[in-house]
């Protein structure tokens, strides 16, 4: 075999190993119940939980507790199954956090009561949403 063929096969083999290893780290959206089951089984990998911030009757966000030094905070989140959970995030409150329509927390349970988020992704209301336009003569 030529050196070029051997080098090509080596590169392909390395690419396959990288792809297979990345598939093991791929995460799906789960509920808090599934995350808690994983904790009880001893699994410690980070998972994605999607939901909304807990809101009161008036539509105001409830349950946000910012620590004194403002470098971390707790908040209440409701997943898509309706499970309400207290979440801790060891970073300052993100900008427009209160306005977010949907929240994805990436993390795991460190204790049975609190979900520890390593990362927060937010879907905020878009300023580019189409609004009703009234045009003359149409």
């Amino acid at each position: 075999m030529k050196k070029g063929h051997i080098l090509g096969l080596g590169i392909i083999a390395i690419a396959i190993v990288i792809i297979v290893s990345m598939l093991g780290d791929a995460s799906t959206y789960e509920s808090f119940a599934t995350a808690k089951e994983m904790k009880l089984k001893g699994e410690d990998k980070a998972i994605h939980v999607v939901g909304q911030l807990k809101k009161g009757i008036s539509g105001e966000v409830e349950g946000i507790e910012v620590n004194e030094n403002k470098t971390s905070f707790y908040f209440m989140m409701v997943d898509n199954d309706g499970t309400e959970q207290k979440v801790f995030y060891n970073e300052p409150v993100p900008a427009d956090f209160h306005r977010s329509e949907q929240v994805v927390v990436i993390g795991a349970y460190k204790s049975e009561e609190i979900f520890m988020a390593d990362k927060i992704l937010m879907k905020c209301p878009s300023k580019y949403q189409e609004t009703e336009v009234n045009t003359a003569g149409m």
Side-chain angles (χ1 to χ4, degrees), residues 2-118:
K2 294 182 181 179
K3 287 183 182 180
H5 291 126
I6 293 172
L7 181 63
L9 288 174
I11 292 173
I12 292 171
I14 291 171
I16 290 172
V17 168
I18 290 172
I19 291 170
V20 169
S21 68
M22 292 175 92
L23 288 177
D25 292 340
S27 179
T28 59
Y29 292 117
E30 302 291 346
S31 65
F32 284 122
T34 306
K36 197 172 275 192
E37 286 175 20
M38 290 173 68
K39 168 68 176 164
L40 294 174
K41 290 179 184 175
E43 295 180 41
D44 233 5
K45 77 174 195 175
I47 62 165
H48 294 69
V49 179
V50 64
Q52 295 83 29
L53 297 175
K54 181 181 177 188
K55 295 184 180 175
I57 297 170
S58 64
E60 293 292 317
V61 176
E62 295 180 342
I64 295 180
E65 303 169 24
V66 180
N67 289 341
E68 290 177 20
N69 55 10
K70 298 186 189 274
T71 59
S72 62
F73 69 104
Y74 294 89
F75 62 96
M76 296 301 291
M77 183 174 149
V78 180
D79 68 10
N80 288 341
D81 291 344
T83 305
E84 194 174 299
Q85 178 61 52
K86 189 172 195 174
V87 179
F88 175 75
Y89 187 53
N90 196 23
E91 295 287 332
V93 179
D96 293 333
F97 184 71
H98 294 82
R99 294 184 40 203
S100 63
E101 291 177 355
Q102 196 171 44
V103 178
V104 177
V105 291
I106 304 169
Y109 277 96
K110 301 299 180 197
S111 70
E112 288 190 30
E113 298 84 35
I114 298 177
F115 186 88
M116 301 282 288
D118 299 321

